[in-house]
Amino acid sequence: MATDTAASADAADESPGYTRPTIDVAELRRVLDGRYAEVRDLVRTNLVDHASVLEDAETMATDRFRDRVRDLLVTMARTGQTGMGFPEEYGGGGDIGASVAAFETLAYGDLSVLVKAGVQFGLFGGAILQLGTERHHDAYLRDLITGNVLGCFAMTEVGHGSNVQALGTVATYDPDAEEFVVTTTDPSARKDWIGNAARHAELAVVFAQLEVAGERHGVHALVVPLRRDGRVLDGITIEDDGLKMGLNGVDNGRITFDGVRVPRENLLNQFADVTPDGRYESPIDNPDRRFFTMLGTLVQGRVCVGGAGINASKVALTLAVTYADRRRQFNATSEDREELLLDYGLHQRRLLPLLARTCALHFAQEVVAQELHEVFSRTEAPEEGENDHRRRELESLAAGVKALGTWHATRTIQECREACGGQGYRALNRFAALKADTDVFTTFEGDNHVLLQLVAKGLLTDYANEFEDMDQFAMVRFVAGVAVETVIERTSVHTLIERVRDVLPGGDEWDQEAGLLDPDYHRMMLRFREEHMLSGVARRLKRGIDGGQDAGEVFSRVQDHVVAAARAHVERQVLDAFVDKVASLEDGDTKVALTLLCDLFALSTIEADRAWFLEHGRLSSQRSKAISREVNGLCRKVRPLAGDLVDAFGVPPELLRSPELVG
């Protein structure tokens, strides 16, 4: 990035032994793009070819823009970018990791296009692929991959969002007709906020309570036709959810079913089936385990939303950092020339820790996507129980990174908007759409607070076999029934802390003696916080149950501790991913630059929670102040690199628009 950085060079913290790295933007982009660089470049090219959709979102009437987004979706589908995760025999690419990379990169462009693609290929298509069998794959996959058939994912109900097990829609089997009868039992069972439903979907994967011979078998999924030749079919009522805060290129709708009949074969029968004469069959006897196994196969959507939030943050940071590296304000150091915004320490403090956290989350997301690819692409038979345990760990990691990644997007986009002053308020400069369109990322594919409770549940039970059978109250009783020390040992954190003397100098004073830039110090601080919070949750749960309190009341009283422990755990995982990535790189300027960002992420994370560390004896006031000084110093070191760092994100200039911000 060509800018005048003379002032910033003088301001940089040139400490003894430090040599400022020179960033090779192309090399750093290769590191960030990873193994799917070609896939990401294909998506970038497609987004540039259709960059006018960003203006269309602001100028077209709602229905016309929805049709524009649909047409663009179909056009992109025919380039192959949206079908990469589907089997090759149906026209897909057979590469789940590639499909995640493609989806994440879509977040550089209009987010209605991204979400519509997520509904069509991730949710609707993913349900057909993962919950269906060969008969469904043969019937639907080829047409949905090419966009010849559009569908929707009808799970959420007005009365039940996060609590999927309590859905009110019922599918009753009629053995005489060999059909299921789908019914919305009451107003709270109306399907709501269903993407693609209001205008375009011809088919729906409908989640309903399956009833066979008078017995309920829990939530299952069926393919239900909604429209034929554009006409809504009999027994189905569809309403438009209307204008939303954002994402108005996606036609969210409400669906009710009044005795709608579908053939028996429309049941997606990967995990359960109903015979023609009305016998329910499943290889998984436990209904709770069956339910969670079914939902676990749909984890890709959650992985993708987290990645999209992180990439939307990159767009905001590219705009804000580029602007701050051009815009001058006030004569701070010279009477002849005003100062660049990015040369001010406060501006660095506002943007550069967010840049470091974005990179940290990027590499954590890389770990999640790779694990998703390996778990769902595995061909060899795992040892007994191994795959189930690994899938549960994946679900937890995906939930945690999605939560932190989407909260980060909300915070980063707002800060970047403010950092651009009045220019950031112009719709042309993209912040209006970024703010409005990403806000719901914290809610769909799992409310973030609910997701962190899922993370904590896995930690407290060590992803035990019982894990899938437990609601949160059973989890409370489970934890209360074992020794607290056992819960801590299960996390594998406790034993690592015991070995801290082998890692860091200073014995019992390791947290006071270790170097502030030692990655082992960073990891141990976050591990200590995680262990302490987790043990605190376990003790509170046990104390409540031992005291005779109701499990629900006990859980409600410790929910804030549960979420805090989960967040601490995920934040430590994010740091681990960043440290491991940096360690894997060859020595050179790229590694030096990413090390600076990794240090900045770690220390700014500790600094942000300094009250906790002070309260629990892990920071002295002097060391706390030293960490703040080090964060300031790292910001000064990152400052002259910042323009090249955001350039390496690879957001095409055509997608930035914003002539006042980026030139």
Side-chain angles (χ1 to χ4, degrees):
M1 177 177 293
T3 58
D4 180 0
T5 58
S8 63
D10 293 338
D13 185 5
E14 306 293 354
S15 53
Y18 171 73
T19 301
R20 183 192 307 158
T22 300
I23 293 181
D24 182 333
V25 173
E27 179 184 332
L28 180 54
R29 184 179 300 179
R30 284 192 294 272
V31 171
L32 292 169
D33 282 356
R35 63 184 291 190
Y36 294 112
E38 291 184 6
V39 170
R40 296 182 193 276
D41 281 341
L42 169 63
V43 178
R44 288 182 176 109
T45 298
N46 286 337
L47 288 173
V48 169
D49 288 345
H50 303 285
S52 60
V53 72
L54 295 167
E55 182 177 352
D56 296 338
E58 300 162 1
T59 59
M60 286 184 172
T62 300
D63 284 347
R64 188 179 172 205
F65 182 56
R66 288 174 172 179
D67 289 346
R68 167 82 166 103
V69 170
R70 175 204 58 198
D71 294 344
L72 182 51
L73 179 76
V74 173
T75 298
M76 287 186 170
R78 288 169 184 166
T79 70
Q81 77 168 60
T82 55
M84 292 177 178
F86 292 97
E88 293 178 277
E89 57 266 35
Y90 296 102
D95 191 328
I96 294 170
S99 71
V100 175
F103 184 85
E104 291 170 354
T105 311
L106 274 175
Y108 287 167
D110 178 77
L111 293 174
S112 285
V113 176
L114 172 133
V115 171
K116 192 144 182 112
V119 170
Q120 171 70 11
F121 305 105
L123 297 178
F124 172 64
I128 298 288
L129 177 63
Q130 299 294 345
L131 303 182
T133 53
E134 186 175 1
R135 71 190 187 207
H136 307 105
H137 300 166
D138 290 345
Y140 304 115
L141 284 187
R142 193 172 296 278
D143 282 339
L144 76 84
I145 289 170
T146 59
N148 289 333
V149 171
L150 299 182
C152 63
F153 183 85
M155 177 182 281
T156 299
E157 296 178 354
V158 68
H160 294 98
S162 298
N163 188 7
V164 178
Q165 271 187 295
L167 293 178
T169 304
V170 175
T172 304
Y173 186 64
D174 177 357
D176 294 331
E178 296 187 18
E179 293 175 331
F180 289 100
V181 183
V182 182
T183 303
T184 302
T185 54
D186 60 61
S188 71
R190 182 191 72 206
K191 299 295 182 184
D192 208 352
W193 298 110
I194 309 304
N196 282 2
R199 191 168 177 87
H200 296 138
E202 301 157 78
L203 300 172
V205 171
V206 177
F207 290 81
Q209 303 286 350
L210 196 70
E211 186 173 292
V212 181
E215 182 179 356
R216 291 279 180 93
H217 295 279
V219 173
H220 292 63
L222 308 91
V223 178
V224 179
L226 298 181
R227 293 179 174 88
R228 184 175 298 114
D229 299 325
R231 184 184 70 82
V232 177
L233 299 177
D234 293 343
I236 296 172
T237 301
I238 298 179
E239 302 172 81
D240 197 316
D241 274 318
L243 283 175
K244 307 181 291 290
M245 182 186 293
L247 298 174
N248 284 301
V250 181
D251 50 319
N252 293 86
R254 303 166 172 174
I255 313 173
T256 55
F257 302 96
D258 183 11
V260 176
R261 289 180 171 267
V262 297
R264 180 185 68 87
E265 291 80 9
N266 283 31
L267 176 69
L268 296 177
N269 62 335
Q270 180 65 242
F271 300 107
D273 207 350
V274 175
T275 63
D277 61 348
R279 284 181 295 107
Y280 180 82
E281 299 176 338
S282 174
I284 305 173
D285 292 333
N286 185 293
D288 290 328
R289 187 168 299 163
R290 184 167 58 241
F291 170 76
F292 285 111
T293 300
M294 175 187 73
L295 284 193
T297 65
L298 305 176
V299 69
Q300 183 172 340
R302 190 166 290 162
V303 173
C304 287
V305 170
I310 295 164
N311 271 16
S313 300
K314 296 175 188 175
V315 177
L317 282 163
T318 300
L319 292 168
V321 169
T322 304
Y323 183 60
D325 214 8
R326 299 176 63 248
R327 178 77 157 93
R328 294 182 177 276
Q329 195 74 274
F330 299 112
N331 300 86
T333 60
S334 168
E335 294 183 2
D336 302 323
R337 199 173 197 188
E338 291 184 283
E339 200 88 358
L340 288 169
L341 291 180
L342 201 53
D343 286 339
Y344 288 103
L346 179 59
H347 218 76
Q348 294 169 14
R349 269 287 196 156
R350 294 172 68 184
L351 296 180
L352 301 185
L354 293 176
L355 175 59
R357 191 174 184 88
T358 299
C359 289
L361 287 162
H362 171 94
F363 292 121
Q365 173 70 9
E366 186 175 82
V367 172
V368 179
Q370 181 61 29
E371 185 67 6
L372 175 80
H373 177 82
E374 291 179 5
V375 167
F376 284 90
S377 303
R378 190 169 185 172
T379 55
E380 72 276 11
E383 295 182 13
E384 185 176 355
E386 176 193 353
N387 206 43
D388 287 343
H389 191 277
R390 192 174 178 187
R391 285 195 179 207
R392 286 192 287 272
E393 288 186 318
L394 168 62
E395 291 163 23
S396 176
L397 181 60
V401 173
K402 184 269 181 185
L404 265 61
T406 54
W407 271 328
H408 174 70
T410 298
R411 175 191 172 197
T412 300
I413 292 165
Q414 177 63 29
E415 190 64 58
C416 289
R417 203 294 301 158
E418 293 182 29
C420 292
Q423 295 293 357
Y425 200 62
R426 292 191 67 191
L428 176 66
N429 293 337
R430 290 211 59 187
F431 285 110
L434 284 170
K435 279 170 59 70
D437 290 346
T438 60
D439 195 78
V440 76
F441 285 17
T442 62
T443 300
F444 64 29
E445 283 299 319
D447 173 90
N448 284 354
H449 287 93
V450 174
L451 292 182
L452 287 184
Q453 292 174 68
L454 171 69
V455 172
K457 181 174 160 184
L459 287 172
L460 290 163
T461 61
D462 191 36
Y463 313 99
N465 289 334
E466 297 93 335
F467 172 80
E468 290 182 339
D469 307 341
M470 292 181 188
D471 60 19
Q472 58 199 24
F473 309 124
M475 182 270 290
V476 172
R477 290 187 287 269
F478 177 88
V479 173
V482 299
V484 171
E485 292 75 17
T486 303
V487 174
I488 304 309
E489 290 291 348
R490 279 195 176 116
T491 69
S492 299
V493 175
H494 181 70
T495 53
L496 285 163
I497 294 295
E498 287 298 310
R499 295 202 305 269
V500 73
R501 293 184 182 85
D502 298 329
V503 178
L504 294 170
D508 291 336
E509 301 298 319
W510 61 268
D511 52 340
Q512 305 302 321
E513 299 295 329
L516 290 181
L517 299 181
D518 187 333
D520 287 325
Y521 168 68
H522 303 156
R523 291 173 120 161
M524 288 303 140
M525 286 289 279
L526 296 199
R527 283 184 179 277
F528 174 84
R529 181 181 63 166
E530 174 188 351
E531 178 196 326
H532 197 287
M533 286 185 170
L534 193 61
S535 65
V537 170
R539 289 185 175 91
R540 286 177 172 88
L541 294 176
K542 189 171 181 64
R543 186 165 59 242
I545 292 296
D546 290 349
Q549 296 179 33
D550 176 75
E553 182 182 358
V554 171
F555 184 77
S556 180
R557 289 187 175 188
V558 304
Q559 268 183 307
D560 56 334
H561 297 281
V562 167
V563 169
R567 188 165 192 156
H569 169 71
V570 179
E571 210 157 39
R572 191 265 301 166
Q573 289 180 303
V574 172
L575 176 61
D576 282 349
F578 203 169
V579 172
D580 290 345
K581 185 67 178 186
V582 170
S584 73
L585 299 176
E586 294 182 2
D587 290 343
D589 283 0
T590 295
K591 184 170 185 174
V592 172
L594 287 176
T595 298
L596 290 173
L597 289 175
C598 189
D599 290 342
L600 179 55
F601 166 68
L603 289 182
S604 60
T605 298
I606 295 169
E607 182 190 45
D609 209 9
R610 74 168 89 194
W612 188 94
F613 288 107
L614 283 162
E615 285 177 354
H616 294 84
R618 292 295 94 178
L619 276 182
S620 64
S621 60
Q622 292 83 1
R623 196 165 178 86
S624 175
K625 293 174 184 177
I627 285 175
S628 291
R629 289 193 296 271
E630 194 67 58
V631 169
N632 287 335
L634 287 166
C635 285
R636 290 192 291 271
K637 288 179 179 177
V638 171
R639 184 268 172 265
L641 313 177
D644 288 335
L645 290 170
V646 296
D647 276 358
F649 289 151
V651 184
E654 296 87 346
L655 301 180
L656 294 174
R657 303 171 81 196
S658 312
E660 295 92 346
L661 300 185
V662 301

